[in-house]
Amino acid sequence: MKQTAILACLLALSFAFAATAQTGNTKHFAKDGLSFDYPDGWTITDDSNADAQQLTLSRTDSPAMVKFFVHRGKVNTPEKLAQAKTKIIDPYVSFTEKQFTQMGATPKRADASTQIGGADAQGVHITAVLEGEAGEAGIYWATLGERLVVLTLFGPDKALKKAQPGWDLIRNSLKIDANAKAASSPKP
């Protein structure tokens, strides 16, 4: 019985080591209270402004992208989340659908959900076929550290399948340090 337990532990450790080895090197992003890990080979474009941190992660060898929108204001009540949904999320989802339509596709929307930084996140999948290739924009939102976080995964289905481990690493490691955010706010 003891040998079986020891063998099971060794087997579990070897699987954990193998999974770590397969992920390769990771990088860490940390700025203004937002932090996350991401795979080596991805680049970050930072278009942040006074209202929000806006980042795009991409690879030169893939059309898949991860977009971040992290509102700098506090979203700490159900009313504020409802306002953010009406003023930020809903227009963004509509804009994304319109982009697919302008590119000649017929987008379809479905409710979705995932986890972002350990929190439940609502979302939508917007799927379409462009030039004979199926693709998707998965848009997810949650409140972390009293800030609204909107993450989007874009791209053709084949590229998204390859990007899935990076997406999982990013969204699962995402953290908001409310204290660091407050420290970086401009003072009157």
Side-chain angles (χ1 to χ4, degrees):
M1 183 82 159
K2 264 187 174 178
Q3 286 179 327
T4 305
I6 291 171
L7 183 58
C9 286
L10 288 173
L11 192 57
L13 285 172
S14 67
F15 281 126
F17 178 74
T20 303
Q22 289 175 359
T23 61
N25 294 332
T26 60
K27 293 183 177 181
H28 185 73
F29 175 90
K31 184 177 180 183
D32 295 342
L34 168 65
S35 67
F36 58 89
D37 297 327
Y38 63 101
D40 193 24
W42 290 59
T43 58
I44 296 178
T45 304
D46 189 341
D47 294 314
S48 298
N49 57 42
D51 293 328
Q53 289 177 271
Q54 298 180 71
L55 308 170
T56 303
L57 279 83
S58 60
R59 294 180 58 96
T60 58
D61 62 350
S62 173
M65 291 187 291
V66 176
K67 290 185 145 276
F68 280 74
F69 175 89
V70 183
H71 186 47
R72 293 185 192 274
K74 284 190 176 187
V75 179
N76 54 3
T77 66
E79 295 79 20
K80 286 186 179 181
L81 182 57
Q83 277 183 332
K85 185 161 182 341
T86 302
K87 292 181 179 180
I88 298 170
I89 298 165
D90 292 344
Y92 176 60
V93 171
S94 294
F95 174 78
T96 303
E97 283 181 308
K98 285 177 187 172
Q99 280 187 312
F100 278 123
T101 302
Q102 289 171 352
M103 293 179 350
T106 305
K108 293 184 173 118
R109 184 197 303 198
D111 290 338
S113 63
T114 193
Q115 293 266 312
I116 297 174
D120 290 334
Q122 294 179 297
V124 295
H125 283 188
I126 302 171
T127 57
V129 176
L130 295 166
E131 298 176 3
E133 189 169 9
E136 172 181 318
I139 303 169
Y140 304 94
W141 58 91
T143 303
L144 296 173
E146 297 186 339
R147 292 175 69 187
L148 175 68
V149 175
V150 181
L151 291 183
T152 306
L153 177 63
F154 290 102
D157 288 351
K158 288 178 185 176
L160 293 177
K161 187 174 182 178
K162 289 181 182 177
Q164 189 67 46
W167 166 250
D168 291 340
L169 175 64
I170 291 163
R171 68 180 179 78
N172 289 326
S173 66
L174 193 142
K175 291 180 179 47
I176 301 289
D177 180 352
N179 294 330
K181 193 274 176 202
S184 69
S185 294
K187 302 211 187 317

